[in-house]
């Protein structure tokens, strides 16, 4: 809207630097980014103290210091989920104003900002709406309130964000990014499905319906969905519920580099974001895969994993677990236990595959746009 367009789409860090140059000096005018052939990049007009973020079909504005509201607590804590607490599973400290934080955390925040003040990546991602106090708080909590380890983790996250760029608003269905993401969404391998009983956005993943080759675009698509899901949480909620359907898992289903970066995305790119992870019907081979990757998963993440194995009929233990997390209509809410409605050709498997359970592409993609 300010007349600036890149001559050609520039991926990755170069495009990030270009976008930051455009947005860094804005006092007014375009606060939503630069529309080019490669899609619409979303950035924060920091001078106005506002930001925009990618959401399924809309733009959400939020202040640099989020407004604190009590998270939805009409539901009791699920008695069948060991160790569940609202502070660690639903709504973290970062949503509260810093004035409500312990003095030790406020001091750690000041030190972390000082450590990152001269970092070019930090400045660039600030221009894109990241690195707010709430974001920095996540890194501090993940590293026990220690600024130096938190700074190391933040630098790693910023390198990843420069590489994958999750800040996309799919306002133009003909843009390169929108067309790429639409292809990736055909089978519902990663998609956002509303909220659970606690106001947390639900993200479902199913590697058995992979339809394209594994690569950078597939991982950027995952990052986009996580960023969008965070914006879809209820007010006062900053955690996600992740459901991974493993019923058709095989050892050769996903390459190790993809598994490694997926774990990096969840633990480093989006620290302190996971509320609950439901592993749906993991087969025996999953134990082998877990042994291969367990050293990559921190203990806090493992403590939030819930495995649903075996009978899920009404009245069963698994039915009660899912009801406590998602409500009586948990099958419709999560897609688990629902039929697979659509088929699509998979380049990865070299044949037609059924899509994700409960997923119908056309209405979902219309909602994304």
């Amino acid at each position: 809207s300010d007349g600036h367009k890149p001559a050609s789409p520039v991926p990755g860090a170069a495009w990030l630097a270009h976008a930051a140059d455009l947005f860094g000096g804005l006092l007014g005018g375009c606060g939503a980014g630069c529309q080019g052939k490669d899609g619409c990049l979303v950035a924060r007009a920091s001078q106005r103290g506002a930001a925009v973020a990618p959401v399924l079909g809309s733009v959400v504005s939020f202040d640099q210091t989020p407004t604190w509201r009590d998270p939805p607590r009409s539901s009791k804590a699920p008695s069948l989920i060991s160790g569940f607490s609202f502070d660690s599973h639903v709504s973290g400290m970062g949503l509260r104003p810093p004035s409500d934080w312990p003095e030790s955390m406020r001091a750690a925040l000041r030190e972390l900002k000082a450590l990152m003040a001269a970092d070019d990546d930090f400045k660039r991602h600030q221009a894109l709406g990241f690195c707010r106090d709430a974001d920095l708080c996540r890194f501090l909590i993940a590293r026990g309130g220690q600024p130096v380890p938190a700074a190391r983790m933040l630098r790693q996250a910023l390198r990843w964000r420069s590489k994958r760029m999750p800040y996309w608003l799919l306002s133009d269905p003909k843009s390169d990014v929108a067309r790429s993401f639409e292809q990736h969404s055909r089978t519902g391998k990663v998609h956002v499905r509303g909220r659970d009983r606690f106001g947390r956005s639900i993200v479902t993943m199913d590697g058995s319906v992979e339809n394209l080759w594994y690569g950078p675009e597939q991982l950027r698509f995952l990052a986009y969905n996580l960023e969008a899901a965070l914006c879809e949480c209820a007010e006062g909620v900053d955690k996600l519920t992740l459901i991974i359907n493993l019923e058709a898992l095989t050892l050769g289903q996903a390459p190790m580099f993809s598994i490694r970066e997926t774990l990096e995305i969840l633990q480093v790119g989006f620290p302190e974001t996971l509320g609950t992870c439901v592993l749906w019907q993991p087969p025996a081979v999953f134990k082998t895969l877990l042994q291969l990757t367990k050293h990559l998963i921190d203990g806090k993440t493992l403590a939030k994993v819930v495995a649903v194995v075996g009978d899920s009929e009404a009245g069963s233990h698994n039915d009660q677990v899912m009801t406590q997390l998602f409500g009586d209509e948990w099958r419709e809410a999560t897609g688990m236990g629902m039929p697979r409605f659509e088929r699509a050709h998979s380049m990865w498997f070299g044949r037609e595959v059924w899509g994700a359970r409960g997923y119908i592409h056309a209405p979902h993609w219309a909602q994304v746009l």
Side-chain angles (χ1 to χ4, degrees), residues 113-293:
K113 286 181 175 180
L115 289 169
M116 300 299 298
D119 189 286
D120 289 338
D121 279 343
F122 183 77
K123 296 174 184 177
R124 290 166 182 164
H125 285 275
Q126 275 188 318
L128 295 169
F130 190 61
C131 298
R132 299 165 299 137
D133 288 351
D135 300 318
L136 300 181
C137 181
R138 294 178 187 271
F139 290 90
L140 285 168
I141 293 174
R143 289 297 177 260
Q146 301 299 313
V148 173
R152 284 197 296 267
M153 185 184 192
L154 178 56
R155 290 189 183 98
Q156 182 183 352
L158 294 178
R159 287 194 298 270
W160 171 81
R161 283 178 171 265
S162 296
K163 181 170 64 173
R164 297 301 180 218
M165 295 299 293
Y167 319 102
W168 294 99
L169 176 67
L170 304 183
S171 57
D172 179 6
K174 296 182 180 179
S175 70
D176 289 353
V177 172
R179 285 186 291 185
S180 171
F181 284 3
E182 194 272 337
Q183 285 184 312
H184 279 281
S185 71
R186 286 289 178 91
T187 57
K189 60 190 177 189
V190 179
H191 64 283
V192 183
R193 293 188 65 96
R195 300 170 182 165
D196 67 9
R197 292 183 66 180
F198 307 98
R200 303 176 297 184
S201 289
I202 302 170
V203 181
T204 66
M205 300 172 61
D206 186 345
S208 71
V209 301
E210 178 59 59
N211 61 319
L212 298 173
W213 297 108
Y214 280 91
E217 284 298 309
Q218 186 245 23
L219 293 163
R220 184 162 67 161
F221 177 66
L222 170 60
Y224 167 80
N225 275 278
L226 293 174
E227 192 83 16
L230 276 175
C231 295
E232 287 287 274
C233 289
E235 288 184 300
V237 175
D238 69 345
K239 309 291 186 187
L240 304 178
T241 296
L242 179 63
I243 303 174
I244 306 178
N245 188 348
L246 297 171
E247 60 185 336
L249 175 72
T250 62
L251 278 180
Q253 196 171 92
M256 184 56 69
F257 82 86
S258 178
I259 295 173
R260 286 177 180 273
E261 184 165 340
T262 298
L263 292 172
E264 180 185 9
I265 290 172
L266 295 173
Q267 296 180 138
V268 179
F270 294 87
E272 294 298 313
T273 297
L274 180 65
T276 300
C277 176
V278 175
L279 303 181
W280 180 261
Q281 303 296 350
V285 71
F286 178 73
K287 292 182 179 179
T288 302
L289 182 61
L290 183 61
Q291 290 302 317
L292 292 173
T293 58

Side-chain angles (χ1 to χ4, degrees), residues 324-369:
Q324 288 189 1
L325 289 172
F326 304 102
D328 293 336
E329 305 299 322
W330 62 264
R331 291 172 180 82
E332 291 77 8
T334 67
M336 300 303 102
M338 294 285 287
R340 298 181 185 267
F341 295 113
E342 298 181 336
R343 294 178 66 87
H345 179 75
S346 168
M347 295 173 61
W348 177 252
F349 292 107
R351 54 179 170 81
E352 272 202 345
V353 297
W354 283 104
R357 289 192 177 277
Y359 180 80
I360 302 176
H361 175 66
H364 173 80
W365 186 247
Q367 182 189 11
V368 170
L369 294 177

